[in-house]
Amino acid sequence: MRRWHAKARGWWQHPAFARGLREMAAVSPGLAAWGLMTGVAMVKSGMSTFEAVAMSLLVFAGSSQLAAMPLIAAGAPVWVILSTSFCVNLRFVVFSAHMRPYLMHLPLRWRLFHGYLTADLSYVLFTRHFRHPPAGDTEQREQLAYLSGGSLFNWLSWQSASLLGIALANVIPTHWGLGFAGILALLGVGCSLASSHLRRVSAGVAGMAAVVAYALPLKLNIVVAIASAVALCLIIEETWPKAPVVPS
């Protein structure tokens, strides 16, 4: 245990930790606006201050919180609320599968810790910088330091804004639409990742499928979008001719 605590201190002291903080800070204003509006919306939906604070700290998933709040306010059955939140957050299953080779060498408690902290923007920034799992201890330290810095700043930015929104819920009107700033932040980072034809095709297919299936209940259009994009990309990878290997 002491060995892993020493390693964790090494992540925070690594230069990549500060780099992760700086790069997350560049996109945090949109995230903070989204968190502020989520905090306001939780209180406006009828939740008590205690319930809103507990949801912000324990759930830590803006889209899931926003999807669940109208159902909670309407008195929907618990299974409906949980099913909706599960469907909205299915993208984290994809994130988890992708991140597995990067984190499997860690003890369970550290994997759970990173799993809790890692969100959309921290995942996107991390995978944009590190396209392959670490090949040695040096790369492991750099990658975990960067992920820790970005994820920590992401969490602090979201929670501070969300808690501020809870405190000022009766002052800030919901028609300001501050949550749209978070969508713009995610859109900007997502577009920067469209660096290949396959990624651009998958993004376009997912967007069109989400719009076409928008009327489905429980936010199932998100599941349809993910499934459509993954299925099409697998088909394309299998059918497209492979580039010839040029002998050196």
Side-chain angles (χ1 to χ4, degrees):
M1 182 179 292
R2 290 180 180 178
R3 180 172 65 90
W4 281 104
H5 282 303
K7 283 194 173 188
R9 286 195 298 271
W11 303 337
W12 303 331
Q13 295 166 359
H14 196 284
F17 183 86
R19 181 157 56 95
L21 284 174
R22 288 194 304 270
E23 295 186 3
M24 182 58 68
V27 296
S28 64
L31 180 70
W34 193 4
L36 180 69
M37 207 63 239
T38 302
V40 173
M42 284 191 289
V43 176
K44 295 283 189 181
S45 68
M47 298 178 71
S48 68
T49 300
F50 175 80
E51 290 170 339
V53 170
M55 189 176 196
S56 180
L57 295 174
L58 297 176
V59 178
F60 182 43
S63 55
S64 178
Q65 290 172 239
L66 291 172
M69 279 183 290
L71 299 175
I72 295 174
V78 173
W79 73 267
V80 173
I81 298 172
L82 293 177
S83 298
T84 301
S85 300
F86 176 78
C87 291
V88 170
N89 277 350
L90 268 178
R91 66 192 186 280
F92 288 105
V93 177
V94 180
F95 295 174
S96 177
H98 187 194
M99 294 291 287
R100 187 178 187 276
Y102 293 88
L103 301 176
M104 274 307 294
H105 63 281
L106 296 175
L108 176 61
R109 60 182 177 277
W110 284 108
R111 298 201 302 272
L112 293 174
F113 175 73
H114 282 290
Y116 167 72
L117 283 184
T118 302
D120 297 90
L121 286 177
S122 53
Y123 166 80
V124 167
L125 291 177
F126 176 80
T127 53
R128 186 175 66 178
H129 279 285
F130 304 103
R131 300 184 183 278
H132 304 287
D137 289 341
T138 301
E139 289 186 8
Q140 281 181 4
R141 285 194 297 272
E142 180 185 6
Q143 291 184 7
L144 289 172
Y146 182 90
L147 180 63
S148 299
S151 296
L152 181 61
F153 193 94
N154 181 54
W155 186 85
L156 290 173
S157 177
W158 173 270
Q159 296 296 348
S160 57
S162 181
L163 295 177
L164 181 63
I166 294 170
L168 301 179
N170 296 320
V171 178
I172 301 174
T174 54
H175 67 261
W176 282 6
L178 294 176
F180 189 62
I183 297 174
L184 292 178
L186 288 172
L187 184 63
V189 177
C191 288
S192 69
L193 290 174
S195 55
S196 68
H197 292 302
L198 191 60
R199 290 183 178 183
R200 287 189 285 270
V201 168
S202 65
V205 169
M208 288 187 292
V211 172
V212 171
Y214 184 76
L216 290 177
L218 304 179
K219 302 290 183 180
L220 286 174
N221 62 315
I222 298 175
V223 181
V224 172
I226 294 173
S228 301
V230 170
L232 181 63
C233 288
L234 289 174
I235 293 172
I236 291 175
E237 282 190 329
E238 290 296 325
T239 57
W240 272 7
K242 300 293 189 295
V245 178
V246 179
S248 57

